[in-house]
Amino acid sequence: MADQFAVIGLGRFGLSIAKKLYESGRDVLGVDVNEERADEAQNYVTHSVIADSTDPEALKSIGIRNFDTVIVAIGNDIQASILSVLLLKELGVNKVIAKALNKLHGEVLKKVGADWVVFPERDMGIRVAHQLISPKVLNFIELSKDYSVEEVKIPEKMTDKTLRELDLRAKYNLSVIAIRHHDDIFISPSPDKIIDHGDVLVVIGENRDLERFANLE
Ligand code: ATP
């Protein structure tokens, strides 16, 4: 069933995924081997059940193969996380997303068939460091090792000028793909657009150029 999700492991990570999906109107089945965790989650998901995802019969009995996407949010028990992914793929679940504690864990999850492996602690650590290095960067997406899209608070000295005057492409090798002005967003802004105080530019470019721009006073 498309748009139907199952989240296995209802700790902080799994529950926050489950809650967000449910709040966005998706059907979410919560699964945890721990009764208390499954009970607690009841208010935040469509339905939650107690089951051990390392047990193939348990997975079958909850009809897991009917879910298009299953998130394995078990972390500390690496063996259980790997076995769960393996079983889910064997049972024919289309998309399995799994949380990894470290690089090796992630590699094994991929080998047993995980379609997407996430590293929440590592990624959050990188985001925090990034924020410390470039406090003006509100958000970023890494496109590759060297290129990113960033939301950058406009330096004060650049305000009240048009994009043409700022000429970020020539000066910083960056392209402005959008401007956020309070709650409004201007996609592909015209070169005549004047940048206001407090505006946020969404820029794309090479990381070293982005860092230079984001650290302007
Ligand atoms: P988080 O870091 O997300 O808060 P946690 O620290 O509670 O998680 P984890 O080991 O990552 O610990 O476990 C997440 C959840 O996964 C727990 O609620 C745990 O009961 C559940 N869990 C562990 N093994 C299984 C399993 N085999 N089947 C189903 N749920 C499991």
Side-chain angles (χ1 to χ4, degrees):
M1 287 175 266
D3 255 18
Q4 297 224 340
F5 297 86
V7 178
I8 300 177
L10 300 166
R12 289 158 301 178
F13 180 68
L15 194 57
S16 59
I17 297 176
K19 271 185 184 172
K20 187 73 195 168
L21 288 169
Y22 184 60
E23 282 165 15
S24 311
R26 306 308 199 272
D27 268 335
V28 181
L29 173 72
V31 182
D32 205 296
V33 71
N34 178 306
E35 186 178 349
E36 239 169 77
R37 288 270 168 102
D39 279 353
E40 271 171 31
Q42 198 67 69
N43 296 328
Y44 308 109
V45 294
T46 317
H47 191 52
S48 81
V49 293
I50 307 161
D52 180 350
S53 58
T54 62
D55 174 358
E57 294 312 315
L59 287 176
K60 279 185 205 152
S61 75
I62 59 175
I64 204 77
R65 55 153 56 100
N66 297 322
F67 289 82
D68 184 58
T69 305
V70 178
I71 298 114
V72 178
I74 303 170
N76 295 321
D77 189 345
I78 291 186
Q79 193 178 327
S81 129
I82 294 167
L83 194 51
S84 304
V85 170
L86 181 78
L87 291 173
L88 291 165
K89 288 312 286 185
E90 272 182 358
L91 286 170
V93 174
N94 180 31
K95 194 166 174 191
V96 176
I97 299 160
K99 159 181 160 168
L101 285 191
N102 55 48
K103 196 160 170 263
L104 194 58
H105 183 192
E107 279 168 16
V108 179
L109 289 172
K110 281 220 175 96
K111 285 235 160 70
V112 296
D115 299 280
W116 179 19
V117 178
V118 290
F119 299 83
E121 281 87 0
R122 183 199 70 181
D123 292 351
M124 200 56 196
I126 293 172
R127 291 196 98 78
V128 171
H130 203 277
Q131 187 78 38
L132 293 171
I133 295 164
S134 307
K136 287 203 188 73
V137 177
L138 305 176
N139 218 335
F140 69 97
I141 305 168
E142 252 178 10
L143 300 174
S144 73
K145 194 165 72 52
D146 298 319
Y147 291 87
S148 302
V149 175
E150 289 190 349
E151 283 188 346
V152 185
K153 241 191 266 170
I154 190 78
E156 207 43 42
K157 67 174 180 193
M158 289 194 173
T159 55
D160 298 326
K161 293 195 169 84
T162 64
L163 276 179
R164 185 180 284 113
E165 285 167 326
L166 291 179
D167 204 6
L168 299 187
R169 192 171 306 211
K171 290 184 187 140
Y172 296 95
N173 208 16
L174 299 175
S175 299
V176 178
I177 54 180
I179 298 173
R180 195 145 54 80
H181 177 77
H182 304 300
D183 287 338
D184 296 324
I185 182 112
F186 301 92
I187 310 284
S188 295
S190 131
D192 299 320
K193 177 104 185 88
I194 296 171
I195 310 299
D196 217 338
H197 296 261
D199 279 2
V200 172
L201 301 187
V202 184
V203 285
I204 183 167
E206 213 170 324
N207 291 342
R208 56 175 183 187
D209 296 322
L210 286 164
E211 194 178 327
R212 202 156 58 92
F213 175 63
N215 282 297
L216 290 172
E217 288 308 321

